[in-house]
Amino acid sequence: MAQVFFENQVRSMPEFLPYTVGSAGIRAQAGQKSAPILERILMTRGLSLENHRARLLTPAIVDQAVAMICATSAHKSFLEKNFVNLPKICISFFEFGGDIADP
């Protein structure tokens, strides 16, 4: 869901055109679809999760990342402890005022 929201916000900003936005979870069930309630919420905003499938965060994904935004400060701590090649920009929403609850 975060990926869809972020892509929607930056799609008209030329500085983001060279980048691909992705989403991956530290405990994700690879291939799992989003919860129907999330799909309905996004539909009310003209967005879709129809093609979204969960994927697990891997070292290969981290190695390709230019920046990472974590939902919670606990997620960021987990990444710092478990991945050696984090990008220079690795922040959490906590740093913007508060964690985003992780289902």
Side-chain angles (χ1 to χ4, degrees):
M1 189 163 101
Q3 176 182 344
V4 172
F5 274 126
F6 189 75
E7 285 174 328
N8 184 60
Q9 293 299 310
V10 302
R11 70 175 156 208
S12 63
M13 298 175 168
E15 60 270 27
F16 283 97
L17 290 177
Y19 300 101
T20 301
V21 177
S23 176
I26 59 176
R27 292 183 189 90
Q29 303 257 345
Q32 186 175 20
K33 289 186 71 169
S34 299
I37 185 69
L38 297 177
E39 292 179 14
R40 288 193 297 274
I41 290 168
L42 284 178
M43 267 199 298
T44 66
R45 296 169 188 225
L47 302 172
S48 173
L49 285 171
E50 182 178 338
N51 296 318
H52 173 77
R53 297 295 180 273
R55 66 181 180 156
L56 187 63
L57 185 64
T58 64
I61 293 170
V62 173
D63 288 346
Q64 293 176 351
V66 173
M68 296 179 76
I69 303 171
C70 304
T72 70
S73 54
H75 288 146
K76 181 180 175 186
S77 293
F78 176 87
L79 296 183
E80 290 170 339
K81 292 175 186 165
N82 292 282
F83 293 93
V84 294
N85 292 328
L86 289 179
K88 288 182 182 180
I89 300 171
C90 183
I91 57 176
S92 74
F93 281 103
F94 181 80
E95 296 165 62
F96 295 103
D99 287 340
I100 294 178
D102 187 26

